[in-house]
């Protein structure tokens, strides 16, 4: 049995990207979960910050695995046809070499047994758990009219006009979030270019006129996953829901949630998902109270600097 051949590069060529995307589709079909995050897939296709690497593993000339490394965090996936042949260990070993003396976190989507076995065998510990929660949309009000504070109106996002205001509020609302709070104009632009982007489902709560000194207080950005992405049928998502710290206590989160869910229902969808940190017990209870149930988990496995490498 041959050993996996490992290669890494700052950016794969178009043929390499196409091959990895086919691998991701095969893994998703076999496991029932997306094997890498949206962010990793976007960076695969469009590149990312300096220092990022695309890592591939091949067996007998066939692509057997892929990993994405960015700033001490990584994700990896092994093709279903090539598992239990050392591919995951070879990819993990190369990621550890790239990380060097720094800390390395590797996300495992779906918390599958093989991922947990690989991580534990290499000295990683569970550091973060991200819950995916779902609910059906049958009981969602088709035309909610939640009370809003005086002078506040909810309007659809306007690409090119609301970008700067949204980035500012997003950064404040998620100042303590390790990924969401650091979004840049490029991050927003890439998502606006995606086929799923729909400004009608990107709802902004403004106090006053947005073109004449108005203040953005919060937002609910929804997304629609096509059939085959996270389920056999299209599924909606509470993609990002954020409230400016200065607008807390105004019940805008509830109002924006209701309006966003109604929008997804109007698209003919029957189910909606969201992601939330398991450690955020307050948010988990809130979503459970609104009919969401725990569906799956993603786990970030962390390896501390200086951890002993396996023999």
């Amino acid at each position: 049995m041959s050993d996996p051949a490992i290669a890494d590069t700052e950016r794969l060529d178009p043929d390499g990207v196409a091959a990895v995307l086919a691998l991701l589709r095969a893994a998703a079909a076999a496991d029932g979960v997306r094997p890498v995050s949206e962010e990793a897939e976007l960076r695969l296709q469009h590149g990312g910050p300096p220092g990022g690497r695309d890592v591939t593993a091949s067996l007998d000339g066939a692509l057997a695995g892929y990993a994405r490394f960015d700033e001490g965090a990584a994700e990896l996936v092994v093709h279903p046809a090539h598992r239990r042949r050392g591919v995951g260990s070879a990819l993990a070993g190369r990621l550890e070499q790239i990380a060097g003396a720094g800390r390395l976190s590797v996300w495992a989507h779906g918390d599958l047994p093989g991922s947990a076995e690989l991580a534990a065998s290499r000295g990683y510990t569970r550091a973060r758990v991200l819950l995916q929660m779902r609910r059906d949309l049958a009981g969602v009000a088709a035309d909610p009219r939640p009370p809003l504070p005086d002078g506040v109106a909810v309007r659809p996002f306007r690409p090119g006009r609301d970008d700067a205001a949204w980035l500012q509020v997003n950064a404040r609302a998620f100042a303590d979030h390790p990924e969401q709070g650091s979004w840049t104009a490029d991050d927003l632009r890439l998502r606006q270019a995606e086929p799923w982007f729909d400004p009608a489902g990107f709802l902004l709560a403004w106090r006053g006129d947005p073109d004449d000194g108005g203040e953005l207080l919060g937002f609910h950005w929804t997304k629609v996953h096509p059939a085959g992405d996270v389920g056999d049928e299209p599924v909606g998502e509470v993609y990002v829901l954020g409230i400016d710290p200065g607008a807390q206590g105004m019940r805008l989160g509830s109002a924006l949630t209701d309006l966003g869910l109604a929008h997804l229902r109007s698209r003919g969808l029957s189910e909606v998902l969201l992601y939330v940190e398991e450690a955020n017990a307050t948010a988990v209870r809130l979503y459970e109270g609104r009919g969401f149930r725990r569906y799956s988990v993603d786990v970030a496995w962390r390896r501390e600097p200086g951890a002993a490498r396996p023999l």
Side-chain angles (χ1 to χ4, degrees):
M1 182 183 298
S2 60
D3 292 330
I6 303 296
D8 65 87
T9 180
E10 291 184 3
R11 182 91 181 270
L12 288 171
D13 62 26
D15 288 342
V17 171
V20 171
L21 290 174
L23 184 157
L24 299 182
R25 290 193 294 271
D31 299 330
V33 295
R34 288 186 60 162
V36 300
S37 66
E38 176 192 71
E39 186 67 33
E41 195 166 325
L42 285 172
R43 291 179 176 183
L44 163 68
Q45 297 180 76
H46 304 288
R53 308 294 292 179
D54 289 314
V55 186
T56 57
S58 300
L59 281 172
D60 303 321
L63 181 65
Y66 168 76
R68 175 72 195 179
F69 175 88
D70 282 292
E71 301 173 331
E75 303 177 47
L76 69 82
V77 54
V78 178
H79 194 289
H82 299 291
R83 292 174 179 172
R84 300 292 177 178
R85 297 182 62 185
V87 175
S89 291
L91 286 169
R94 182 61 187 135
L95 291 170
E96 290 160 9
Q97 291 174 350
I98 295 171
R103 176 182 292 170
L104 177 64
S105 293
V106 182
W107 279 99
H109 297 277
D111 197 20
L112 302 174
S115 301
E117 181 182 333
L118 173 64
S121 72
R122 301 187 70 85
Y124 290 75
T125 57
R126 291 166 74 100
R128 288 174 62 194
V129 177
L130 190 65
L131 298 179
Q132 184 189 133
M133 305 182 74
R134 296 194 181 195
R135 66 156 291 173
D136 66 64
L137 289 168
V140 168
D143 184 25
R145 301 194 180 184
L148 295 170
D150 290 343
V152 174
V154 176
R155 310 168 188 264
F157 179 85
R158 300 169 301 172
R161 297 176 68 180
D162 296 331
D163 300 46
W166 181 82
L167 284 166
Q168 290 173 2
V169 172
N170 179 71
R172 288 198 292 269
F174 294 97
D176 296 327
H177 193 282
E179 291 96 18
Q180 185 66 38
S182 61
W183 274 28
T184 66
D186 283 342
D187 293 318
L188 179 57
R189 175 183 55 79
L190 284 176
R191 285 158 178 79
Q192 290 183 42
E194 287 291 289
W196 58 263
F197 179 73
D198 176 16
F202 192 166
L203 306 176
L204 307 184
W206 290 94
R207 180 160 52 198
D209 186 342
D211 294 321
D212 188 19
E215 180 184 9
L216 180 60
L217 302 179
F219 56 88
H220 183 181
W221 187 353
T222 67
K223 175 180 180 177
V224 177
H225 293 268
D229 189 15
V230 294
D232 294 335
E233 302 294 330
V235 177
E237 180 179 349
V238 178
Y239 187 55
V240 194
L241 176 66
I243 306 297
D244 188 280
Q248 295 290 342
M250 300 172 67
R251 300 189 61 80
L252 286 174
S254 295
L256 285 165
T257 298
D258 291 343
L259 291 168
L261 294 180
H263 170 78
L264 292 171
R265 180 181 173 182
S266 75
R267 296 285 304 273
L269 303 174
S270 60
E271 192 173 34
V272 59
L273 65 85
L274 58 79
Y275 293 92
V276 61
E277 297 277 351
E278 184 182 53
N280 189 346
T282 300
V284 172
R285 286 196 299 270
L286 172 66
Y287 291 130
E288 287 176 337
R290 298 184 72 86
F292 284 87
R293 66 192 186 281
R294 300 181 187 217
Y295 184 83
S296 66
V297 300
D298 297 338
V299 178
W301 293 89
R302 179 176 296 165
R303 195 164 192 267
E304 298 297 335
R309 294 179 181 275
L311 299 176

